[in-house]
Amino acid sequence: MVDSSRFDFNLITTFLALWEERSVSKAALRLSLSQSAVSASLARLREATGDPLFVRARGEMQPTMRAVAMAEPLHNGATLIHAAFSSQAVFDPATSRQHFFLGMSDDFQIAAGPSLARRLSVTAPHVSITFRQANRHRVEALFEAGEIDFAVVAQPRAYAGLEQQDIGQSGYACLLDPVACGVKLPLSLEDYLALPHILVSFSGREGIVDQVLKTMGLARHVQSALTHFSALPSFLVGARAVATLPVHAAQALAAVSGLVVCPAPINMGMYSVSLLWQRAADNPWMRDSICGAFREVLRDLKAESSG
């Protein structure tokens, strides 16, 4: 049996040249080698297989039955090796069945996830995607564990080994049922502080609102604290309470709940949103699809704000 770990795969090229040319001299010319080099390679092939492989008959090198049996699999193998080194796999969204894992917090899932899913259903009907809960504190660990292919994060920092692309900016807004709250819009600071607040925070303890109010010497009453934005409508519809959250999530939740979005009466500024990925696992088409879905949402928010 041939030890593949020690086998010189250049001998396959010599075998195929002899198979097609039926001549040592013609095979040598084809391979740009000397006849003695081809003869030496043939001797090594004979030693490795325990068979003459090619014998002189009727003025040419005729293959033995062993050579005939070897020719097709060696030719197929050489073709596969050549294709692997000479071409780059082309991603075709129309036919691909690839599955992607995308990490992001649920405010981004609520706002841009449906748009991305609709894009895929039209341009890549067999491509599928799993959304995984992630934020800027967890993305590195998720990438290292191979659990996500891409991530969308707010207020990104520099991440070792990850590529980064800016998508746009977002900010904050209030979400409430103004009738149940008994207030007029836009909210005054007085009404804002008088209402019970529903907090959504990664820690479940404090958010940016508390940080800004603290600099103003003020505080709010947090009635309930959640870790996911998707639960907010159940806490706000028909209730005397207000939530302050990213404006893209506020608009998406208002569209399906009947709640109302209004500006917050305190200045919390804007923040950047970025797409992250590993260079070795990049898929430009998927990256463009993600950016397109998010830019569409963020652009609409900017237009509404300007209006």
Side-chain angles (χ1 to χ4, degrees):
M1 180 180 293
V2 176
D3 183 356
S4 60
S5 65
R6 296 176 177 272
F7 185 72
D8 182 0
F9 285 89
N10 288 319
L11 297 179
I12 295 175
T13 303
T14 301
F15 176 94
L16 293 174
L18 287 168
W19 170 262
E20 294 176 5
E21 299 294 346
R22 300 293 202 273
S23 165
V24 171
S25 59
K26 290 180 180 179
L29 183 63
R30 174 174 173 170
L31 298 174
S32 299
L33 298 172
S34 64
Q35 290 189 39
S36 60
V38 172
S39 295
S41 294
L42 177 57
R44 293 173 62 191
L45 282 165
R46 286 168 170 168
E47 181 182 358
T49 59
D51 187 270
L53 296 179
F54 296 93
V55 294
R56 188 170 297 280
R58 296 189 295 277
E60 62 178 16
M61 300 294 286
Q62 290 290 328
T64 64
M65 292 300 295
R66 177 66 186 278
V68 171
M70 291 170 57
E72 183 175 354
L74 287 179
H75 176 76
N76 292 341
T79 300
L80 289 173
I81 293 172
H82 176 75
F85 281 92
S86 63
S87 64
Q88 183 177 3
V90 177
F91 177 83
D92 180 8
T95 59
S96 174
R97 296 182 178 274
Q98 190 167 342
H99 187 87
F100 294 94
F101 293 88
L102 178 56
M104 62 178 69
S105 54
D106 70 323
D107 59 309
F108 288 137
Q109 292 180 31
I110 291 167
S115 175
L116 177 58
R118 286 191 292 270
R119 284 171 176 257
L120 297 187
S121 68
V122 173
T123 59
H126 305 295
V127 169
S128 55
I129 187 167
T130 293
F131 294 91
R132 285 190 169 161
Q133 186 72 10
N135 56 37
R136 63 194 182 100
H137 304 290
R138 298 186 61 226
V139 289
E140 286 182 292
L142 290 171
F143 274 116
E144 288 175 3
E147 295 185 15
I148 55 175
D149 302 305
F150 297 91
V152 176
V153 297
Q155 298 175 303
R157 55 181 176 79
Y159 300 91
L162 296 179
E163 299 294 313
Q164 186 169 310
Q165 180 177 347
D166 178 71
I167 298 178
Q169 287 190 320
S170 190
Y172 298 93
C174 292
L175 185 66
L176 72 164
D177 182 335
V179 176
C181 289
V183 296
K184 294 182 178 181
L185 301 182
L187 274 176
S188 66
L189 180 58
E190 181 180 2
D191 286 339
Y192 182 69
L193 295 177
L195 287 170
H197 285 244
I198 309 298
L199 165 67
V200 182
S201 169
F202 177 69
S203 66
R205 293 188 297 273
E206 187 180 73
I208 186 173
V209 173
D210 304 286
Q211 298 167 13
V212 173
L213 289 176
K214 189 178 295 185
T215 65
M216 301 168 64
L218 301 172
R220 63 175 175 169
H221 168 56
V222 175
Q223 181 189 72
S224 302
L226 314 174
T227 56
H228 291 81
F229 293 98
S230 56
L232 270 176
S234 298
F235 285 80
L236 296 175
V237 173
R240 184 176 177 272
V242 63
T244 308
L245 65 159
V247 63
H248 51 265
Q251 293 284 9
L253 290 174
V256 297
S257 67
L259 293 167
V260 176
V261 179
C262 73
I266 58 175
N267 182 14
M268 289 171 283
M270 303 288 288
Y271 59 85
S272 60
V273 180
S274 290
L275 175 66
L276 306 177
W277 70 95
Q278 291 176 315
R279 181 181 298 177
D282 186 22
N283 182 300
W285 178 86
M286 189 62 184
R287 176 157 43 88
D288 289 344
S289 297
I290 296 169
C291 288
F294 273 84
R295 283 176 174 153
E296 179 181 320
V297 170
L298 298 178
R299 182 176 60 248
D300 290 346
L301 295 176
K302 185 176 181 180
E304 289 179 15
S305 176
S306 300

